[in-house]
Amino acid sequence: MAQVRMKVIFGHLNQRDQHAIVSRPTSSLAGGDVATDGVKFQYTLDNTRLTPAQRAFYEENGFLVIPNLVPHDKIDQWKERFLDLVEGRVESHGMTKMKDISLRNVKGVSGEMIVNKIQDFVWDEILSEHCMLPQVLDYVECFTGPNIMAMHTMLINKPPDPGTRTSRHPLHQDLHYFPFRPANRIVCAWTAMETINNDNGCLFVLPGSHKGVLEQHDYPDWEKGVNKMYHGVRGYDDVPKTMLCMEKGDTVFFHPILLHGSGDNRTKHFRKAISCHYAASECHYIDVRGTSQENIGNEVVELAKKRGVDNLNFKDLWKFRSRLVHGTSINL
């Protein structure tokens, strides 16, 4: 059956009972606006982890950087695990390994050179530590509430750009990839695994754009090609952007409608970051047929078919990519 095949691919079989969910204090979940002392909050929930200033900043801008949140020794372990996976020293158990388009025909080089991203490591015993770190979940709960699903895991290995500028990522909104709602109960935790700056392709964001709507996404018209599934939003080339230069261990939390992207890596070194998108388990799946998300939905289903997974739709595929990391499973 396709469902059984999918579980094998993502390494779910016989693992759910082996990982205890972290027990931590909870906060209330609100579906809409929250009023505190006469101030309305739409994008955050009542939780003492965020200071009033941090909460106000996220509400206004749609992102928040927490310096030095993730221990450096953990990051070093994840880097070694990534190298073991891409070099074939350990089994990847069906994790998605994406290759940079500029390097797809290169032969006789290391896996680190070829693989620019690993996705769906939510069940890997080492990399999954990132999406379960109490330090991270403490902040995630401020956006999702106490019932937290890790929905999308990713380690990005931005390679040195060969002059094609294909290492950049077009301006986009992460909600484009997600068939679940509401958007305000979804958040990304994106951690720098080393110093990230303008030279090696740091993130850039459009502050306040999370207050907008989900835009149409398509492949950009880049002369040298675009990496697979790097969809983008057109019409914002001349809009001022905020560059998020970060140090190792810094983590940015951002809203799924926030417009963001990253520049090309102009150095001779790889630039690594690790991230997880979380959602409240109270969220629900939607049907993307007939919407602007239909194109990415079809693309994901076709990719799954190439990997031997048939008869599953976009929603079903997401169910097998996720994992409860705190609280109770409700809808997702």
Side-chain angles (χ1 to χ4, degrees), residues 21-22 26 146-148 281 324-329:
I21 303 302
V22 179
T26 62
N147 302 314
I148 307 172
S281 73
L324 182 70
V325 292
H326 182 261
T328 303
S329 178

Side-chain angles (χ1 to χ4, degrees), residues 67-237:
N68 203 30
L69 180 65
V70 176
H72 291 195
D73 61 336
K74 287 290 185 183
I75 292 174
D76 295 338
Q77 292 172 23
W78 301 334
K79 179 179 179 180
E80 288 303 311
R81 183 64 167 184
F82 172 80
L83 294 176
D84 285 342
L85 287 165
V86 299
E87 301 298 344
R89 292 190 287 266
V90 295
E91 178 59 46
S92 61
H93 296 294
M95 285 179 261
T96 302
K97 297 178 182 178
M98 303 183 70
K99 299 180 179 180
D100 189 273
I101 189 173
S102 67
L103 303 171
R104 60 185 175 183
N105 296 319
V106 176
K107 306 294 182 181
V109 297
S110 70
E112 183 184 24
M113 174 67 75
I114 299 298
V115 178
N116 71 342
K117 188 182 296 184
I118 281 186
Q119 296 187 147
D120 309 318
F121 58 74
V122 71
W123 293 100
D124 183 80
E125 61 180 340
I126 296 177
L127 293 182
S128 65
E129 291 176 349
H130 176 263
C131 60
M132 300 179 70
L133 272 183
Q135 301 98 308
V136 173
L137 293 179
D138 278 342
Y139 283 97
V140 170
E141 189 172 335
C142 301
F143 311 104
T144 65
N147 302 314
I148 307 172
M149 298 291 295
M151 300 300 295
H152 183 223
T153 47
M154 185 165 56
L155 196 155
I156 306 116
N157 180 49
K158 188 185 283 285
D161 197 280
T164 60
R165 302 203 67 198
T166 52
S167 65
R168 56 185 162 157
H169 200 298
L171 195 71
H172 65 285
Q173 299 162 304
D174 288 340
L175 191 66
H176 170 67
Y177 298 91
F178 303 153
F180 41 90
R181 300 291 189 275
N184 290 350
R185 299 287 78 86
I186 303 170
V187 70
C188 179
W190 193 100
T191 300
M193 297 180 70
E194 59 199 283
T195 297
I196 295 179
N197 52 37
N198 291 345
D199 291 333
N200 61 12
C202 66
L203 287 179
F204 54 78
V205 300
L206 268 62
S209 58
H210 67 301
K211 300 176 183 179
V213 299
L214 182 60
E215 304 277 0
Q216 176 68 40
H217 286 64
D218 301 288
Y219 280 111
D221 297 323
W222 289 352
E223 181 181 354
K224 301 295 184 179
V226 185
N227 282 312
K228 190 71 171 176
M229 295 189 184
Y230 276 31
H231 294 190
V233 176
R234 304 175 192 270
Y236 289 88
D237 291 345

